[in-house]
Amino acid sequence: MNILVTGGAGFIGSALIRFLIEHTNHQVLNLDKLTYAGNLESLSSIARNPRYHFYQADIIDSYALAKIFDNFQPDAVMNLAAETHVDRSINGASNFIQTNIIGTFHLLESSRIYWQKLSKEKRLSFRFHHISTDEVFGDLKDSSLFFTEMTPYAPSSPYSASKASSDHLVRAWYRTYGLPIILTNCSNNYGPYHFPEKLIPLSILNALSGKLLPIYGNGEQIRDWLYVDDHVRALYTVLTKGKTGESYNIGGHNEQRNIDVVNLICDLLEKLAPKKPIGINKYRDLITYVKDRPGHDIRYAIDASKIKNELGWVPKESFTSGLTKTVKWYIENPVWVENIQTGEYKNWIKKQYNNI
Ligand code: NAD
Ligand code: DAU
């Protein structure tokens, strides 16, 4: 296949492209705007492979999209391009509306126009795979409940509302035009190459440099964590075996309170990086409770039985093994870390955490 991956310089997109180049024979075109979250260094291990191609563009740019579709002739589009950080969406939602909603619209339209001109056989096998989040379902207050594919949408933040909108557009393009779409809604990912504004990489890097570990509110909020390579295998399984028009929930069967996640990171660092910055006795001493995130979702938990029963996917990594690999990766890759901590990153950290 020729696979057009959007957002391939991001955290999950780069893991997906590394998988596609290392474990399949497909041609891959990475279309990425290279926002603050896009980093081509995450693709340096496969960048010279002749099956990998890169094009810098915005998914909102329908002219660029038409050119790319014409030249690359994709058999599948996997849309990961998005603004993804909830706290940034609370600070200013404009980019989220632009990329996640208007950008998805332009990508759908470009795909539809291209798809309608394909031969009957190619039209049947074409796939538009939209990668979405469990946050579209809002949160679960009752500990016995899980998100299924039938759970009604009830997004809480500007980010999740923009992702919910994009999911609705994708479904409408299936129902109205017959565009062969597939939708996946995944829980929180973690792993190497994760931009250090999200909880897990932020905590690892702050701890390693003796900075405080900010916990929003009481730290009791629950997320369902999935190792990024497990997500990537799920995406490829859905792309190649999933049924068009369907959505699949992807999750790690791994619910953790935020405070427990950060405690575990501290404990792993005690073993993996025992030599601490001057003045630090125990990594756990760096934990500090800060003002809560407005509209903070309390609990996410995925029921992933559909993808397991219908497509045979289950996660391979346990939380301890995945988190150990992740912590080791950040310790062993100081150059990647240093290069990502640019002026833009520093400005964000100052704006978001200026009181600690
Ligand atoms: P990320 O923020 O790490 O990367 C996003 C990528 O999209 C970046 O490379 C960025 O440059 C690119 N991009 C942003 N706007 C663009 C535009 N207008 N045109 C082209 N490229 C653009 O994101 P991620 O964590 O890798 O998430 C990828 C997708 O998976 C997103 O759709 C997200 O909603 C979804 N998702 C993420 C998680 C998670 O835990 N990270 C969980 C479930 C679903
Ligand atoms: O559930 C899937 C979603 O997971 C994805 O759709 C999003 O793109 C991704 O960013 C992630 O969203 P979260 O808001 O859950 O991730 P984040 O790492 O920002 O926060 C995880 C939890 O940790 C959340 O309850 C907020 C809390 N938190 C976060 C930060 C950055 C803290 O307590 N302190 C922090 O400094």
Side-chain angles (χ1 to χ4, degrees):
M1 280 192 282
N2 286 351
I3 304 181
L4 173 59
V5 175
T6 71
F11 167 47
I12 301 170
S14 64
L16 173 66
I17 292 180
R18 290 191 303 274
F19 169 86
L20 290 172
I21 295 299
E22 284 161 9
H23 299 285
T24 76
N25 286 320
H26 305 306
Q27 294 281 331
V28 178
L29 175 59
N30 174 14
L31 184 167
D32 199 297
K33 182 181 173 180
L34 297 183
T35 67
Y36 78 93
N39 182 2
L40 291 178
E41 281 183 45
S42 305
L43 291 158
S44 57
S45 62
I46 54 85
R48 285 168 195 276
N49 189 295
R51 287 185 292 108
Y52 170 73
H53 316 273
F54 172 68
Y55 194 98
Q56 184 170 5
D58 190 325
I59 54 165
I60 224 161
D61 181 350
S62 48
Y63 176 75
L65 290 178
K67 225 165 71 182
I68 288 162
F69 275 89
D70 240 31
N71 290 339
F72 186 61
Q73 297 283 309
D75 301 294
V77 175
M78 299 180 84
N79 181 28
L80 294 97
E83 288 291 336
T84 66
H85 189 32
V86 173
D87 295 321
R88 285 188 193 250
S89 82
I90 295 167
N91 252 270
S94 175
N95 288 343
F96 290 74
I97 307 303
Q98 287 300 322
T99 289
N100 299 359
I101 306 179
I102 317 280
T104 302
F105 158 71
H106 283 292
L107 192 63
L108 279 166
E109 268 302 76
S110 303
S111 301
R112 180 181 70 82
I113 291 162
Y114 162 80
W115 169 75
Q116 283 177 335
K117 288 190 270 186
L118 292 174
S119 67
K120 193 173 170 213
E121 195 192 336
K122 286 240 169 202
R123 266 208 314 274
L124 277 174
S125 60
F126 183 81
R127 293 287 178 275
F128 183 101
H129 181 171
H130 184 62
I131 284 74
S132 192
T133 169
D134 60 354
E135 298 202 12
V136 297
F137 301 121
D139 62 356
L140 297 160
K141 269 119 199 150
D142 181 337
S143 62
S144 64
L145 293 178
F146 292 85
F147 297 135
T148 73
E149 288 76 5
M150 304 305 286
T151 303
Y153 278 30
S156 317
S157 70
Y159 162 67
S160 52
S162 69
K163 289 297 291 186
S165 305
S166 69
D167 290 11
H168 291 315
L169 290 174
V170 170
R171 284 216 176 84
W173 259 242
Y174 173 72
R175 171 90 186 245
T176 306
Y177 305 110
L179 185 72
I181 66 95
I182 305 193
L183 189 62
T184 47
N185 295 86
C186 188
S187 62
N188 283 64
N189 284 218
Y190 70 100
Y193 302 98
H194 203 180
F195 191 79
E197 63 184 357
K198 309 276 173 87
L199 179 69
I200 288 184
L202 179 88
S203 303
I204 297 170
L205 294 181
N206 274 16
L208 282 171
S209 52
K211 294 186 185 144
L212 292 172
L213 308 179
I215 303 280
Y216 297 163
N218 60 11
E220 302 272 326
Q221 300 80 12
I222 291 172
R223 298 291 182 267
D224 176 358
W225 293 97
L226 179 69
Y227 192 64
V228 66
D229 291 347
D230 277 328
H231 186 193
V232 162
R233 278 192 308 103
L235 294 179
Y236 189 64
T237 304
V238 170
L239 180 78
T240 50
K241 294 195 203 159
K243 230 173 111 191
T244 55
E246 296 280 317
S247 72
Y248 297 86
N249 281 0
I250 306 170
H253 307 290
N254 176 38
E255 288 180 51
Q256 305 281 345
R257 295 184 315 161
N258 292 337
I259 184 63
D260 297 333
V261 171
V262 177
N263 276 331
L264 181 55
I265 289 171
C266 291
D267 297 349
L268 287 170
L269 284 170
E270 293 293 346
K271 285 188 221 143
L272 299 169
K275 197 166 164 244
K276 299 182 199 58
I278 297 162
I280 309 301
N281 183 25
K282 284 194 301 202
Y283 286 113
R284 281 191 185 211
D285 295 341
L286 293 168
I287 291 174
T288 180
Y289 290 88
V290 300
K291 195 168 156 274
D292 208 354
R293 173 185 278 174
H296 201 166
D297 282 338
I298 293 168
R299 173 174 166 260
Y300 303 146
I302 286 271
D303 175 350
S305 45
K306 179 175 172 181
I307 186 171
K308 179 182 173 199
N309 296 337
E310 293 185 12
L311 308 181
W313 174 88
V314 285
K316 283 184 181 162
E317 209 71 60
S318 76
F319 193 47
T320 315
S321 67
L323 201 56
T324 306
K325 278 188 190 175
T326 307
V327 170
K328 276 190 182 157
W329 188 87
Y330 279 94
I331 293 171
E332 287 162 9
N333 288 276
V335 176
W336 184 92
V337 168
E338 242 173 79
N339 290 346
I340 215 164
Q341 289 173 327
T342 59
E344 202 284 335
Y345 177 71
K346 282 191 193 133
N347 291 343
W348 165 255
I349 294 294
K350 200 164 158 220
K351 194 166 170 189
Q352 178 72 355
Y353 303 104
N354 63 357
N355 55 339
I356 62 164

